Amino acid sequence: MPVSYLDAINAALREEMQRDPNVFILGEDVGVMGGAFGVTKGLLEEFGADRVIDSPLAEGIIVSASIGAAMAGLRPVAEIQFVDFITPAMDAITQQAAKLRYRSAGTQTCPLTVRVCYGGGTGGGLYHSQTNTTWFAHEPGLVVVAPATASDAKGMLKASIRQDDPVIYFEHKKLYRLPAVKEELPEGDDHLADLFHCAIRRPGKDATIVTYGYMLQLALQAAEKVAEESGASVEVIDLRVLNPLDHDTILESVSRTGRLCIVQEDHRTLGIGSEIAATVAERAFDCLDAPIVRVAAPDVPAIPAAESLEQFYMPNVSKVVDALHRILQY
Amino acid sequence: MATKVKELGAGAAVRSNHPNPLISNDKLKQMYSTMLKCRLLEERARILKKQARFKGNYYAAVGQEATAVGAGIDLRPEDTVAPSHRDFILNFIKGTPLTAMFSQLYGRSTSPDKGRSAPAHGGYAPLNIITPGSTIAAQLNIGTGIAMANQMKKNDNVVVAFSGEGSTSLGFWHEALNFAGVRNLPIVYVCQNNLWAESVSVKLQTKVDDISLKAIGYGFPGITVDGNDVVAMYRVAQEAIARARTGGGPTLIEAKTYRWYGHSEIDPARYRSAEEVEEWKAKDPIAAMERYLTGKDLYSDAWKKEISEEFQKELDAAIDVAEKAPPPEPIDCLDYLYSFDIRNRELDRKNYSPKF
Ligand SMILES: Cc1ncc(C[n+]2csc(CCOP(=O)(O)OP(=O)(O)O)c2C)c(N)n1
Ligand SMILES: [Mg+2]
């Protein structure tokens, strides 16, 4: 039976907790309720309240207690219910987790995983729709991942839990139950996905789209549409990892296609697309046959609730198709 | 719940031939000599800083030695210390080698953090001293997580987490104590109330007179102790540590004390009166302990001289080692970021532009 993105995350947690008694979960509503979206359902029953811990409502201590537990040899998986509420944990993530190994010259480390639910398009409004991945991609010392497929959701979470670094694992709420990303995943296959490289999800030769998370769905549809409309073949790269960036897969693709379109759900200024565009301009300038184009949200504080406003805000297939036509016809 | 403890009293000279029923004479002497060494160490560090022998800043705890010694002296290597910016001497108390400490001040390649953290913000992994960041109170929260891990692993290690009274205004502080209370964690929070957070009086930090009162809100004992009285501090800390070790949960200890010098070596501390400083210097924890030990016939000036001269030699030797140690190689800047190497990534960037 095909497995949803949400069930894939749940399976990864279960398998890792079965495998390693040091793995435990800490977060708001993760226990009795099984998570705000049901991601941790059934885990309290299987592993008990000592390993599936309903925390007080305090993101700062959720993450910092996890840092301390990780320093002491455990493998915590902290959950942040909505990235919109991660700010109370910003010191813990950016000043403590990201810098502990560096400031102690490798003598103290915190291999923790912070699962963060993010993303818009569900009518959640200003404070239940944000993306904010870039805040963390900007922090050396953090591994930041954002799986776009069910297989990656499972394999990357298992790999994150075993990774000896603080990993911020972004899971898009719109992918949780999306039929299009359901996949056959053998139970207990113990597949560990790569945490360092982009994946080419659709090969092409005329232009490259770079994107991640839920936006991958839009990018694939846009590439298909452009192929039907104009015969152009568009390569689609799923970033998967936002920090440290896998520059070479992107540069190699652009050096073949000569055209780059970046699709990101977060707002434009200093988003991940800015860094990718700058890197391509620096290291593959002569390879470009057209200006780089970004499809991004506008620079407003967050996603407004009304459907009309949300639609204006969010990237969609036709915005990506328009962008592709612009660079293909340049 | 919040109780006050006072043992020596300012200027007390308790005449008694009976050994302290709880504390051996050897322990009393050890506490004295450790305080004295902490003082000598920090006065030396301040001189080195004034001579610009190391860069950066130094945050002396001179005047507060009784708090650190009373709480830290009997910790086991497996116990964790979560130090603040002013707790460099906790390294010495817990047993970090002097060469490691001075290499840290000098930012040498031989220091525990290989020249990364600011002077005085040093930790030591082999003895479970957290290498602190500089965000006030953050070390308490990390320490709280270590206490959670100790509880989950069912060992009897404790965490002693230090901070100043200024830290108690931050949200972090309250999140940590609340969490520790809810989960009954094996941790002792030592709040060193030295009346000032840089230039800001404690009166502008909190409306309560005794910070220990705040523990009531978290459901565990809070106790205010004379932080310049090492015997009182020791008794209170040992009780709290024993409670934590045996599953009795956290304690908040407020130690009322005073830093003799400015916030750091660049702070002339003009915001406080000379009278206030003099008043507290008269409550010098080391002099008070000398009087206390004299009352028990455990002290002599000759003994003090002997400790001092011996320790100054140890300091000379450690400083010599630190001064001769090489600085980190510039390229070491790229190390210890992740569990994997980023040097090559930073240095060997492949170029895709044929003409460039
Ligand atoms: C969150 C944060 N804000 C501000 C500072 C700058 N700062 C460093 S020490 C300090 C005062 C701390 O006072 P207290 O907690 O009483 O400790 P003390 O210096 O008296 O030992 C300040 C404001 C900081 N390091 N962290
Ligand atoms: Mg203070």
Side-chain angles (χ1 to χ4, degrees), chain B residues 190-270:
Chain B
V190 178
C191 175
Q192 306 174 92
N193 180 358
N194 60 12
L195 308 187
W196 297 94
E198 291 197 23
S199 67
V200 179
S201 158
V202 65
K203 300 213 159 54
L204 300 177
Q205 298 288 355
T206 179
K207 194 166 179 186
V208 298
D209 290 332
D210 294 326
I211 280 167
S212 59
L213 281 171
K214 294 177 194 257
I216 295 170
Y218 304 115
F220 55 78
I223 186 161
T224 291
V225 57
D226 177 351
N228 280 16
D229 176 341
V230 73
V231 179
M233 187 65 210
Y234 180 78
R235 280 180 42 209
V236 166
Q238 294 317 305
E239 190 186 317
I241 289 166
R243 184 162 46 239
R245 265 198 221 297
T246 53
T251 304
L252 168 63
I253 298 173
E254 176 199 17
K256 291 205 197 283
T257 184
Y258 199 75
R259 61 165 157 79
W260 284 12
Y261 304 122
H263 169 68
S264 72
E265 293 310 305
I266 55 167
D267 171 23
R270 296 215 178 84

Side-chain angles (χ1 to χ4, degrees), chain A residues 87-103:
Chain A
T87 40
M90 283 309 262
D91 179 78
I93 296 173
T94 63
Q95 301 302 329
Q96 313 306 325
K99 295 178 177 56
L100 180 66
R101 178 187 291 271
Y102 195 75
R103 76 182 184 223

